[in-house]
Amino acid sequence: MSSPATSKSNYIKLLIIVSGAISAAAGLFALYGWTGDNHLFTALIEGAPRLHFLPAVSFVIAGVSVVLTVIKRKTPAVILSYLLILIAVFEILHFAVGHQAGIDGFAVIFGFEESEFHMTLIGSLAFLFVGLAIAARWRTKKRSAIVSGSFGAFSLACGLGTLLAYSSGYLEHMKWNPSTELSIPGAVAFLVLGVAIIAQSSHRQMNLRTDWKHFVPVVLLVVGLTLSFVMRHYFHAKDVVSVQNTVSIELRSLSKTIESEINDRLVANERMARRWAVHGGTERPEWEKDAKRLYRDYGGYQAVEWVDPDYKVRWIIPFEPNKRALGLDLGATPNRLWAVKKAKETRKSVVSEPITLV
């Protein structure tokens, strides 16, 4: 019969293995999604940020490395953790000084755009801490367990904070910026990696017979700071949504106002046209009276003109500012010709592209 301590140890080991497997699975699913350009496997939700190629590979490495630590395969676990650290450092350098260290060459080899290949800065830092935590697993100093757990807390906080952000209902605004954006699969993987590393650190402290209670404040500090960072972005995104909604309402209102004013002008124009059609033409003084009324009552007109059957301008209101347009051939340019022909054929108002009158 196993002792309670042994049973607890076995549960912790199982938790670590499951967490590592989930991380590796998230990476493998994303890699499979990229091979077939399947958005579901790389993002889980349509329109959400996708888990890029390099972080997907890193999640596989991290997950396998975590599992190897449980089954006590030190050499491959350490090698993988150092590889993870190396990738993270290169990515941090890429953000810090634009130093790509040849990584973009791999993007070309695998047929990826740069925007589909790299990690974000927050992801690079989390992978760095995960790699350091896994590497610290094999150190025998008591303090290393606390440091390792703190690194795990950062990973957990990144994943948890991102998932909270996505669940807030502001999905399209939680990309934040290229430095902080995390995908949903990436957030889940960081969350379980953080759980695995914290559980591993707790297990080590049990074996080293240290007081695990000293570890709690460190975890809470890291989680609290990270969540504060996330919530800052959350409230910023909420403000952005509020501003966009306000602007959208104002634009819709303005659009309706403009549409209404244009319709009023079209109705007035067509009323003049119907009067012309009913009477078989309108005497020039009467037409000018109608045109002046139209020009006065509805702002925004440069001129009201009458065009003869040959598409030449014959009457103009107001005349003085636009007298150069007298005799202008509207059929001389394709844009004007199309508009006047269309109006003649349909007997309706036609809106042309912007033109210079004279």
Side-chain angles (χ1 to χ4, degrees):
M1 184 175 179
S2 61
S3 65
T6 303
S7 298
K8 184 177 181 180
S9 176
N10 290 335
Y11 284 132
I12 291 176
K13 288 180 180 179
L14 179 61
L15 175 63
I16 296 170
I17 291 174
V18 171
S19 299
I22 292 174
S23 172
L28 289 172
F29 273 114
L31 293 175
Y32 175 76
W34 280 113
T35 59
D37 198 25
N38 189 319
H39 196 94
L40 179 64
F41 284 90
T42 58
L44 294 184
I45 296 178
E46 190 67 31
R50 305 179 75 175
L51 179 58
H52 293 177
F53 180 81
L54 195 57
V57 172
S58 300
F59 279 125
V60 175
I61 294 172
V64 172
S65 183
V66 164
V67 173
L68 289 174
T69 60
V70 177
I71 60 178
K72 297 183 179 180
R73 296 294 187 268
K74 178 179 178 179
T75 301
V78 170
I79 291 174
L80 290 178
S81 67
Y82 286 160
L83 177 60
L84 191 62
I85 293 169
L86 188 64
I87 293 173
V89 168
F90 280 150
E91 286 293 275
I92 292 171
L93 288 175
H94 173 69
F95 272 95
V97 295
H99 180 58
Q100 298 169 356
I103 289 182
D104 282 348
F106 289 100
V108 174
I109 292 173
F110 289 106
F112 286 94
E113 298 289 338
E114 183 179 351
S115 60
E116 301 171 340
F117 188 78
H118 287 287
M119 302 177 185
T120 60
L121 179 58
I122 193 73
S124 302
L125 290 172
F127 277 121
L128 175 63
F129 290 152
V130 168
L132 290 172
I134 296 171
R137 159 69 179 81
W138 306 101
R139 297 178 64 87
T140 57
K141 292 182 178 180
K142 296 179 180 180
R143 187 176 298 175
S144 65
I146 297 178
V147 174
S148 176
S150 302
F151 289 158
F154 181 83
S155 175
L156 184 149
C158 286
L160 180 61
T162 301
L163 292 176
L164 288 174
Y166 278 114
S167 65
S168 66
Y170 295 93
L171 177 63
E172 68 275 18
H173 299 284
M174 295 316 298
K175 295 181 180 181
W176 302 322
N177 58 59
S179 298
T180 57
E181 175 183 296
L182 287 177
S183 65
I184 295 176
V188 172
F190 275 131
L191 175 64
V192 296
L193 282 174
V195 170
I197 292 169
I198 292 173
Q200 194 175 73
S201 300
S202 175
H203 185 252
R204 285 189 62 209
Q205 290 190 74
M206 288 169 54
N207 294 337
L208 294 172
R209 292 179 173 80
T210 58
D211 188 357
W212 64 271
K213 294 180 181 178
H214 295 300
F215 170 64
V216 173
V218 179
V219 174
L220 292 178
L221 175 63
V222 175
V223 172
L225 289 175
T226 308
L227 289 180
S228 297
F229 173 77
V230 170
M231 293 307 294
R232 174 184 175 275
H233 283 282
Y234 163 73
F235 286 114
H236 172 70
K238 192 173 182 180
D239 289 340
V240 169
V241 173
S242 177
V243 171
Q244 288 182 343
N245 288 339
T246 302
V247 172
S248 178
I249 292 171
E250 293 293 334
L251 286 176
R252 285 197 296 269
S253 175
L254 180 60
S255 175
K256 289 181 179 179
T257 300
I258 293 174
E259 183 179 354
S260 175
E261 291 182 357
I262 290 176
N263 286 335
D264 289 343
R265 286 166 173 76
L266 293 178
V267 169
N269 286 341
E270 291 174 358
R271 188 163 51 241
M272 283 184 65
R274 283 196 300 271
R275 186 180 299 114
W276 181 283
V278 169
H279 294 91
T282 306
E283 294 296 328
R284 182 168 181 172
E286 186 178 350
W287 179 90
E288 288 184 348
K289 187 185 297 183
D290 286 342
K292 287 178 181 178
R293 188 182 301 113
L294 182 67
Y295 182 83
R296 183 191 65 228
D297 294 343
Y298 299 94
Y301 283 103
Q302 179 179 342
V304 180
E305 301 172 345
W306 178 78
V307 180
D308 68 14
D310 295 325
Y311 309 138
K312 290 183 171 58
V313 177
R314 296 306 182 190
W315 301 342
I316 307 173
I317 294 296
F319 177 73
E320 284 300 326
N322 303 288
K323 59 184 178 182
R324 290 174 54 197
L326 185 63
L328 181 67
D329 185 2
L330 298 187
T333 57
N335 184 25
R336 288 170 168 171
L337 179 61
W338 172 86
V340 292
K341 278 189 173 182
K342 189 73 173 178
K344 183 178 180 180
E345 292 170 1
T346 61
R347 301 294 177 178
K348 293 181 179 179
S349 299
V350 176
V351 179
S352 70
E353 296 178 9
I355 60 174
T356 302
L357 182 60
V358 289

